[in-house]
Amino acid sequence: MNAPLNNTHADLEYGLIAHTLREAELQEFVTAMLTPRASALKATLGDLGVPVRHLEWTGGKLAYAVLGFGPVVVLTHGWEGAASDLKPIAATLVEAGYRCVLWDLPAHGDSSGAWTSIPHSAQALQALVDHIGPIHATVSHSVGSAVTVQALSDGLRCDRSVLISPPGRYLDFVEHIAAQFGFAGEDLERIVEILVERGVDARALNLPRQVQAFEHAGLFIHAENDRVCDIRWSHLGHAAWQNSSLMAFPDLGHRRILSAPAVLASVSGFLAQDW
């Protein structure tokens, strides 16, 4: 007959079980953070009225569409957003003589994948630019701006970049979401470690720090009443990016800003400044 477990042995065994369960919970939490909701899978590139094209890259399949003729501008939507969100800007730029490329982020729209991240999407953006050739400018919204900034930091080249309603520090977002689920202290530290293991350095995704090295021209556009991405990040980014400008609007929020006539005119005018 086996001898009963002593308390020390039992405590160690239960502690190991608890640790294993907690680790699984944290892994699942990170997976959820990197997985867009099902609503993001709604394909909208077809709404642009042009054929949807596909590019195979190391991360799967990217869906994109091309409108107009002229210098190439790549437009990048935000997290759980859609390429059609940028349709008003694209229409304005096409009329002004640009060739606009709109695309679905990985795990969004008609692009493949179940998950993505800012660095992963930045790699996809670079793959798209490698495929379509040299570009004149980038225009991006919300998390799409973080994707573009990461791609630029990694070597993407263009003459001008417009960042609309960009977020600031990814670590702040991680801490905020983790706190809502009761994760703090060692749990939070482990979440940050898991993200690194999955190719996402939360501390490195820092807009003001990243744009310091940019030499090409940039324009920040932000609404003062944006409740999703605070305008202070555009102010800090503008202060850090020497060759940048900032346009602030009082009441356009996070999404209406994408179709406001004053914003459309500002984007088009900024891209044309060096012609």
Side-chain angles (χ1 to χ4, degrees):
M1 183 175 179
N2 294 329
L5 293 173
N6 58 44
N7 289 338
T8 300
H9 190 155
D11 288 345
L12 288 174
E13 185 169 338
Y14 289 134
L16 178 60
I17 293 173
H19 173 77
T20 302
L21 291 174
R22 195 60 165 180
E23 174 68 12
E25 185 178 6
L26 296 178
Q27 291 281 353
E28 183 178 357
F29 173 77
V30 172
T31 297
M33 283 182 57
L34 302 179
T35 304
R37 290 173 294 185
S39 59
L41 296 176
K42 182 179 179 181
T44 58
L45 279 171
D47 295 343
L48 301 175
V50 295
V52 178
R53 308 183 187 190
H54 296 93
L55 166 67
E56 294 292 337
W57 72 298
T58 56
K61 177 185 70 175
L62 289 179
Y64 70 100
V66 180
L67 297 82
F69 301 91
V72 179
V73 181
V74 176
L75 296 91
T76 304
H77 67 79
W79 184 259
E80 295 182 344
S84 57
D85 295 341
L86 298 167
K87 184 176 180 179
I89 295 176
T92 299
L93 294 180
V94 167
E95 186 176 351
Y98 294 94
R99 183 175 178 86
C100 292
V101 178
L102 298 97
W103 64 296
D104 290 330
L105 292 176
H108 289 72
D110 199 35
S111 291
S112 65
W115 68 274
T116 192
S117 66
I118 292 171
H120 181 252
S121 292
Q123 293 168 13
L125 174 55
Q126 182 65 67
L128 177 63
V129 173
D130 289 342
H131 175 70
I132 63 178
I135 63 173
H136 170 61
T138 62
V139 177
S140 50
H141 175 239
S142 192
V143 169
S145 292
V147 170
T148 301
V149 166
Q150 182 63 43
L152 290 167
S153 297
D154 292 340
L156 180 70
R157 292 291 177 262
C158 66
D159 298 321
R160 293 186 166 258
S161 292
V162 180
L163 306 180
I164 304 173
S165 311
R169 293 185 304 197
Y170 190 65
L171 184 61
D172 290 350
F173 168 76
V174 174
E175 292 175 345
H176 175 71
I177 297 298
Q180 292 183 343
F181 287 83
F183 298 131
E186 293 182 358
D187 285 340
L188 177 59
E189 292 177 7
R190 180 57 188 144
I191 287 170
V192 173
E193 290 175 354
I194 294 171
L195 283 167
V196 171
E197 292 166 4
R198 301 196 189 187
V200 185
D201 185 346
R203 293 184 173 86
L205 298 174
N206 183 317
L207 175 74
R209 185 182 304 161
Q210 289 175 287
V211 301
Q212 288 182 50
F214 293 175
E215 297 180 352
H216 69 295
L219 172 64
F220 292 88
I221 298 178
H222 220 124
E224 294 173 351
N225 66 336
D226 191 328
R227 296 182 180 180
V228 178
C229 296
D230 197 296
I231 191 175
R232 71 188 179 100
W233 292 115
S234 280
H235 282 290
L236 290 171
H238 169 47
W241 185 348
Q242 185 174 2
N243 190 19
S244 71
S245 303
L246 169 64
M247 298 192 69
F249 295 87
D251 59 357
L252 293 178
H254 190 67
R255 294 185 62 82
R256 287 187 296 114
I257 198 168
L258 294 175
S259 58
V263 172
L264 303 182
S266 297
V267 172
S268 180
F270 172 73
L271 296 192
Q273 282 180 17
D274 60 343
W275 280 25

